[in-house]
Structure formats: C-alpha cells, structure tokens
Amino acid sequence: MAVAGDAKMIQLDAITKSYRMGTNEVLALRGISLKVENGDFVSIMGPSGSGKSTLAHILGLLDVPSTGSYQLNGKEVSALSEDALSVLRRDEIGFIFQQFNLLPRMTALENVDLPLLYSKKSDSNERALSLLEKVGLTTRVGHKPNELSGGQQQRVAIARSLINSPRMILADEPTGNLDSISETEIMAILKDLNAQGITVIMVTHEEEIGAQAKRRIRMRDGLIQSDERLLPIGAPTATDVTAKSAQAATSGSDWLAYLRQGLKTLAANKVRTGLSMLGILIGVGSVVAMLALGTGAQKAIEAQLASLGSNLLVLRPGSVRIGGVAQEAGTTTRLALEDGLEIQSKIPDIKDIAPSVTGRGQVTFMNKNWSTQIQGVSTTYARMWAAQPLVGRFFSDDENSVRARVAVIGTTVLRELFGDQSPIGELIKINKVSFQVIGVLPEKGSNGYRDRDDTIVIPLNTAMHRLLGKDYVDAFDIEVKNFEAIPIAQQQILDLLYSKKRVPTSQQQDAFQIRNMADIQEAMSQSSKTMSALLAAIAAISLLVGGIGIMNIMLVSVTERTKEIGLRKAIGARRQDILMQFLAESVVVSVIGGLLGILLGGVASLVLSWITGWATSVSAQSVVVSFLFSAMIGLIFGIYPAKKAARLHPIDALRYE
Ligand code: ADP
Ligand code: MG
C-alpha cells in the first residue's frame, strides 16, 4: 500500500540472484531481506564479489531477481514488464555508476538533458543548467566528457540522475575511480541531496566513505552480515509517487527529437554514414534514370511512328472458304489493281492508295549472295512511308509503267552485297534477273520482329510481271485524309469489297484484314513499356541491395553502441524509445540517400539523353515513387537492427565491452 506517510520505500524479502556460467551456477545473492525507509542514507559495504553491485542493480531495477519479492513504495515490482520498469527507473530512481557512463559525443549539458527525452518533460535547458550549477560545473556546460576530469564527469552524471527529480539515488562505487579531493566533493553533494529528503543508497568498499552514511550494511558471500544505524534518519519527506503517470504516447515533437538525435549520431560517423547512403543513392539514382530512359525511348518510338503518319491503313486479303469447299488461302478475296482504283474513286475520305506485292528474292552481286525481301510498289510508297532515298533516287512512274529493272536497296542489303563500295549504277541479279541499283533507302531499324532495312524495293509492274509472276496485289497501303475518318473509311472499304466480290455474310469476318497504324503504335509502345519496366526492375534490385547495406551498417552500429543503449535504458528509455531512435537513423540515411539519388538520377538521365539522343524525361511520378520507396527501405531494413537494440536488457547492455 502506498499510503502517504508510509516511510518504507523499499522492502526486499528473500531475494536471490543466480548467474548461469556454462554448467556452473553462481549464487550472487543468497536471500536478502531488507527494508529501507524514506530519507535514509545507506552504505552497502563488503569485499569484492560479495554481491554489492548485484544488489544495487536489483534495487535500481536494472536487473531482476531470480526469486524473492521486491516492493517499491508498496508496489511489487519483480513481476512488472520491461516498459513499466523503464518508467519507474525514469521517474523514481537516479543511478550513478562507477564508470560515469556519459555519452561521449554529447556535451555535459546534453548529457544532463538526455533523460528528459524519455520523460517527455519540456527540455528547456534551465533545469539542466541549474543542476550543473548545483554540482559546481557552470563553466563546463559545453564540454564533452573527454574534456572533463573524472570528478567532473561524475558530477555531470549526478546532475543527470537528478533531472527527473527522483526520490532515490543509487550509487555503485561512485568514488571508486576518483582522487581524494573529487571523492570529498562527490560525498558532499550526496549528503546535501540526502539532506533535501532524497533517499541515497551507496555501494562502496572504502571504510571512510561508508562511515559517512546514516546506516551501514555489510555483505559477505551474497548475504547481509551486519546492519547498523550510525545516525538517525531525520524527517522523511513522503509523497505518493504511484500517482505519477506512466505512459505517454509518441507524439510528433518526439519524432523531431529522435530525428535530431539521429542526425547527430550520423554526423559523428561521417564515412560510415556516407557509405551506407551511397547504396541507396545509387539504387534510387538508377531507378530514376532507368525510368527516364524508358520514357524517353517510348517517346522516341512514338515520334518515329507519328512521322509515318497515323492515318495509314494496310489492307490485305484474308482467307475464306466458299460453299464448304476448302479454297486456297485468299483465292476469292484476292485484291486486284482495279480494286484500289475503285476504292480511291468511290470513298471520299481516301487521300492516296498504294498497291504492293512482296516476295523473297535471291540477290547476287559479283560473288556475293543474299536472300532478302522484295517489295514491288508504286511511286506513292516513297512519300507514304517516308522512304525517299538519301543516296541516289527513287524510281519514276514512267519506269514503273515500262517495267524497268531498277532497284532501291535497304541498308542491310547494301552492307551485305557492297560493303563500303558505292552501289549506285551497279548491276545486281534478283532471282537471276538483272537490275540496276538506283538508290539506297533511309535506315528504318528493326521493329522488333524483323529488320526493316533487309529489303529491296522495285517498281510494282516489274515485280508483278517480270519477277514474281503475280497478276494480283498482296496489299494496299491506304492513306486516310484525317485520323478521325479512319473508322468510317475502314468500314466503307470493307463494304465496297464485300459487295464487289460477293462475299457471303457468314464469311465476311475473315475475308479481309485491315490494320491501322494506331493499332501498330499501340503494340509497339506496349513493348517499349515492358522494356522500361524491366529496366526499372533491375534498378530496383540495386535499391534492395542498398537497403541491405543500411541494415548491415545499423547492425554494426547497434553492437557498437550496446553500452549507450544500456545507459539510455537505465535512465528510463522504453523499448519503443530505442526502437524509434534507431529507426529514425536508418530512415534519415535512406531519405537523404534517396534525395541525393533523385538528383543523381536526374543528372544521369541528362547524360543518357545526350548519349542516346533520346529526350529522356524524369517524371514527377518516378521521383515521388522512388523517394517513398527509399524511405520505406529505411524503415523495413531498419526494423530488425532497431528491434535488436530495443530488446537488449539494460544491465547486460551496460556490461557489454
Ligand atoms: P561486488 O559488486 O560485491 O564486487 P558483484 O555483485 O559484482 O560483487 O558479484 C557477485 C558475484 O556474482 C561474483 O561472484 C561475480 O563473479 C558474480 N557475477 C556478477 N555478475 C555476473 C554475471 N553477469 N555473470 C556471472 N556472474 C556474475
Ligand atoms: Mg561491484
């Protein structure tokens, strides 16, 4: 019962503590029963190994007993959860260590302020400054621990233990590492605190130090050997402490505090931080650049297709069966030259129409041999397909009507037959028929299925009557006047052909095939989208590797800062606080890495666009996505190390070397 005025602060009953060392069991405490009243000043003495520190850690809630009961202010604490213990440590107890345990990268003032991060009290520096003044360090507030003497460091540690106004100070050999002058100073401070009503429990092995307490307990082999009162307790100042609130949810301002701390520790390890950022930076950078490159490639393809004109239709015969008898494919729906003329004259939306035949041809020049595609076309072809030769010329209408044996060759054919030699005016043989080369087609590249430069274009009439022996055409390339008219024109063409060739309704579906450029564009931009998705996926893998790099660094950092984690827990940090601290660090690393990566990706895409000649474009979407992705990487890969840190038991972490 925590009744106001109840003077018993601590009540231990048959406390034992055993450590397991391999198969051995060490009994450090063998049954300690003890009552400590409010306002007392107790010294615990005894030879080394007698269990003094073990007892102090249990009293300070840094460790839990193996068996027995511990009541603090009338409340059983041996069964409390770790977080509840953290809160009690934070609000009730100030612990002072022999080794001071200050955080080396922080100034004296920041060290004193640190517990406020976990108690959510306003961290105005006023209180910390007045405490530092109280321990006589007004002139040293901005100094780091390595710029302070041992005595000064211990005074900073005492100020830190007082910041949350604890009702009890636990000190384990507080003067053990100090010279005699500092020793006197520290004892004066402790006595002064006790005079103000704070209960002090102090472990020491020095007789003259222990003699200064009001009560002296001697231990030997894990048991209390003697317990004597040296001075009366004085007036205990009792207040009900159980009313103090325990939990506080993490709020936005805490996040800021964690981020600030995270930035600080990261700044202290610049090289390491830089290296782990590099992974994320390269990952995000390549995602952004690859997405930009993909978009650029897509736009380039679309522009190329648009230059061909999106108003083009390609009409081919389909295959039908008439009267249930299997016909040779396309027999009844073969297209004749006059079909084209009729389409052009009867359908007003048609701008131009170009018949063509195709076939394979064996081409020879000197001793070179090449098999390629032969296209017989009309002169309209050159304009419609933007195929005006850059070298030489296209054939004329006259040459077409006299079935002249002239050929315009694609660049692949040029390379295979002529190498570096000029082909213009040379005679080649196509299927043993002599042709004169009059021009070279502009390079078209591959459309993904076939090499569009592996072709020879010759006059339509020459192809039909001299080379391929066809009296019909294979296809009509039809140019519609404007894009909007395409669906109507398409239907009109089909209707005209159905009635002209008397195709029964049941067969109309397969009689002809009309493809428009919009369909083809759609198919091609689809394949380029797939391509850029693939590139982005590969880049995303490097982002993943970057994330693993962060995890690695954070794990190292957790191991390296085990002692720091122990100290933070000792002064009241809950699991959640430690978790947040480490998460904040990995998120800061990945977010900064991500932002730099976006920058790098932007620069890289500019360079890529300069190299490829494509107008690469960094989309806002890809920036947002990769930024969020990198923040998420930081969270996900930070969770494991952060959890590992948060799980550490305070006293084990403090003992870690
Ligand atoms: P003191 O502070 O009086 O010198 P300790 O409380 O540190 O004594 O130790 C009491 C006994 O418990 C010693 O025998 C010591 O070896 C043992 N001990 C203390 N801590 C551990 C530990 N973490 N693991 C195993 N044995 C321990
Ligand atoms: Mg000890």
Side-chain angles (χ1 to χ4, degrees):
M1 287 296 107
V3 181
D6 184 347
K8 276 191 292 300
M9 182 171 225
I10 286 171
Q11 181 158 2
L12 299 185
D13 278 306
I15 290 285
T16 70
K17 177 73 184 177
S18 59
Y19 296 105
R20 185 164 282 288
M21 302 279 288
T23 52
N24 282 23
E25 210 174 343
V26 180
L27 254 185
L29 298 178
R30 297 166 182 268
I32 303 276
S33 297
L34 176 69
K35 283 178 192 164
V36 177
E37 277 154 272
N38 259 333
D40 209 348
F41 191 149
V42 184
S43 65
I44 299 175
M45 304 199 59
S48 179
S50 56
K52 306 182 297 289
S53 292
T54 306
L55 180 60
H57 293 152
I58 288 175
L59 287 173
L61 304 176
L62 293 172
D63 209 348
V64 286
S66 302
T67 63
S69 136
Y70 175 7
Q71 292 190 0
L72 180 64
N73 301 316
K75 202 169 150 201
E76 183 63 44
V77 294
S78 47
L80 288 180
S81 75
E82 248 221 58
D83 277 356
L85 290 178
S86 285
V87 172
L88 277 178
R89 281 199 291 275
R90 187 183 81 193
D91 296 339
E92 297 294 315
I93 301 167
F95 210 102
I96 300 167
F97 305 87
Q98 184 175 353
Q99 305 83 354
F100 326 132
N101 285 337
L102 301 178
L103 294 190
R105 285 186 295 266
M106 292 186 167
T107 63
L109 183 64
E110 288 167 332
N111 265 293
V112 175
D113 254 339
L114 189 60
L116 294 179
L117 177 67
Y118 305 118
S119 60
K120 329 285 185 210
K121 288 178 188 155
S122 83
D123 58 354
S124 77
N125 288 326
E126 257 169 59
R127 183 164 163 75
L129 281 170
S130 81
L131 285 171
L132 281 170
E133 190 187 339
K134 206 166 163 182
V135 295
L137 285 178
T138 322
T139 57
R140 296 283 188 278
V141 290
H143 289 230
K144 299 212 168 135
N146 62 2
E147 299 157 353
L148 297 171
S149 73
Q152 288 169 333
Q153 288 186 58
Q154 192 62 299
R155 281 187 273 161
V156 173
I158 292 176
R160 179 180 64 191
S161 76
L162 293 173
I163 191 103
N164 277 321
S165 316
R167 303 210 306 147
M168 171 164 80
I169 295 277
L170 263 158
D172 188 0
E173 310 260 14
T175 60
N177 286 4
L178 300 180
D179 57 282
S180 59
I181 296 176
S182 302
E183 195 177 273
T184 318
E185 284 168 3
I186 298 297
M187 283 311 292
I189 293 172
L190 288 179
K191 280 189 228 171
D192 182 42
L193 290 172
N194 179 243
Q196 291 166 37
I198 297 177
T199 311
V200 178
I201 300 176
M202 177 184 67
V203 169
T204 181
H205 63 269
E206 288 171 73
E207 280 300 332
E208 70 263 39
I209 299 284
Q212 295 177 48
K214 292 174 179 169
R215 177 181 172 189
R216 181 169 56 199
I217 294 174
R218 290 187 191 276
M219 290 183 69
R220 181 171 285 273
D221 295 332
L223 286 169
I224 292 179
Q225 198 184 28
S226 71
D227 187 349
E228 48 196 319
R229 173 135 318 271
L230 307 176
L231 288 169
I233 293 177
T237 50
T239 47
D240 186 0
V241 287
T242 49
K244 277 195 183 179
S245 87
Q247 307 288 354
T250 309
S251 69
S253 65
D254 297 333
W255 258 104
L256 273 184
Y258 291 128
L259 281 179
R260 227 178 317 138
Q261 289 241 329
L263 275 174
K264 225 174 195 170
T265 26
L266 292 173
N269 283 306
K270 287 193 187 64
V271 173
R272 181 195 295 178
T273 307
L275 284 176
S276 52
M277 260 178 206
L278 197 63
I280 290 291
L281 189 153
I282 291 173
V284 170
S286 49
V287 168
V288 169
M290 287 303 120
L291 284 176
L293 189 69
T295 320
Q298 204 170 316
K299 283 189 178 155
I301 288 174
E302 278 165 11
Q304 206 179 1
L305 285 167
S307 77
L308 288 178
S310 52
N311 303 350
L312 285 184
L313 300 177
V314 179
L315 169 68
R316 287 177 210 281
S319 60
V320 287
R321 289 149 66 93
I322 303 270
V325 182
Q327 305 270 320
E328 191 190 330
T331 305
T332 56
T333 55
R334 269 184 179 164
L335 296 167
L337 271 177
E338 63 266 23
D339 295 336
L341 296 174
E342 197 169 334
I343 289 170
Q344 183 152 29
S345 63
K346 288 201 176 153
I347 300 172
D349 285 330
I350 304 296
K351 183 177 171 196
D352 225 335
I353 187 157
S356 67
V357 291
T358 50
R360 299 295 303 177
Q362 196 66 32
V363 196
T364 54
F365 173 71
M366 313 280 273
N367 57 350
K368 302 248 184 59
N369 214 319
W370 186 246
S371 165
T372 187
Q373 176 190 243
I374 310 296
Q375 287 176 276
V377 301
S378 66
T379 49
T380 325
Y381 176 93
R383 183 188 61 77
M384 220 185 248
W385 293 96
Q388 208 61 54
L390 298 174
V391 181
R393 61 176 182 89
F394 210 78
F395 50 80
S396 64
D397 283 325
D398 284 347
E399 283 170 316
N400 187 15
S401 37
V402 303
R403 302 176 189 178
R405 285 169 297 157
V406 289
V408 186
I409 63 176
T411 51
T412 301
V413 177
L414 169 70
R415 200 173 53 241
E416 293 298 333
L417 292 185
F418 295 94
D420 295 332
Q421 211 180 319
S422 166
I424 307 298
E426 297 292 348
L427 287 180
I428 56 173
K429 281 201 156 72
I430 305 176
N431 292 351
K432 304 215 173 77
V433 182
S434 277
F435 280 80
Q436 186 178 32
V437 178
I438 56 168
V440 178
L441 292 167
E443 193 155 349
K444 294 273 175 174
S446 160
N447 66 0
Y449 309 101
R450 61 180 191 85
D451 177 6
R452 290 189 293 167
D453 299 315
D454 189 3
T455 190
I456 295 182
V457 172
I458 60 176
L460 179 72
N461 287 327
T462 317
M464 286 172 75
H465 306 294
R466 287 199 157 178
L467 202 63
L468 303 174
K470 289 182 175 177
D471 55 0
Y472 53 89
V473 297
D474 291 321
F476 283 112
D477 298 331
I478 302 167
E479 190 171 358
V480 184
K481 279 182 181 147
N482 55 61
F483 187 77
E484 291 70 32
I486 286 179
I488 302 165
Q490 226 165 313
Q491 197 52 51
Q492 286 173 335
I493 293 167
L494 287 174
D495 289 344
L496 187 146
L497 290 170
Y498 293 153
S499 73
K500 184 161 189 264
K501 298 195 178 273
R502 300 200 175 81
V503 183
T505 322
S506 60
Q507 257 93 47
Q508 288 183 352
Q509 175 119 22
D510 299 321
F512 301 97
Q513 183 196 357
I514 295 191
R515 293 247 276 156
N516 62 47
M517 286 309 289
D519 292 344
I520 297 169
Q521 275 181 25
E522 177 64 24
M524 301 233 343
S525 66
Q526 197 58 48
S527 71
S528 79
K529 266 182 200 154
T530 312
M531 189 63 194
S532 49
L534 202 71
L535 286 175
I538 292 169
I541 289 174
S542 68
L543 201 50
L544 197 72
V545 173
I548 293 170
I550 286 198
M551 176 151 72
N552 194 6
I553 296 289
M554 293 308 294
L555 281 173
V556 170
S557 169
V558 166
T559 313
E560 194 186 70
R561 285 153 68 192
T562 304
K563 232 184 148 89
E564 174 189 329
I565 295 166
L567 184 269
R568 284 176 186 271
K569 286 202 146 185
I571 59 175
R574 291 163 300 161
R575 279 179 179 216
Q576 178 195 342
D577 297 316
I578 302 293
L579 193 77
M580 287 301 173
Q581 183 196 339
F582 280 85
L583 273 187
E585 278 178 34
S586 62
V587 169
V588 163
V589 168
S590 56
V591 163
I592 293 179
L595 289 175
L596 292 175
I598 289 170
L599 218 67
L600 175 82
V603 172
S605 69
L606 283 181
V607 173
L608 281 172
S609 110
W610 183 67
I611 293 172
T612 60
W614 296 340
T616 60
S617 60
V618 177
S619 71
Q621 193 189 359
S622 76
V623 167
V624 170
V625 165
S626 48
F627 176 79
L628 290 181
F629 201 62
S630 61
M632 221 171 63
I633 287 262
L635 262 181
I636 290 171
F637 286 95
I639 277 178
Y640 174 63
K643 277 208 152 154
K644 198 177 159 190
R647 263 203 309 269
L648 288 170
H649 198 66
I651 195 65
D652 295 337
L654 270 173
R655 279 205 199 101
Y656 185 87
E657 288 304 334

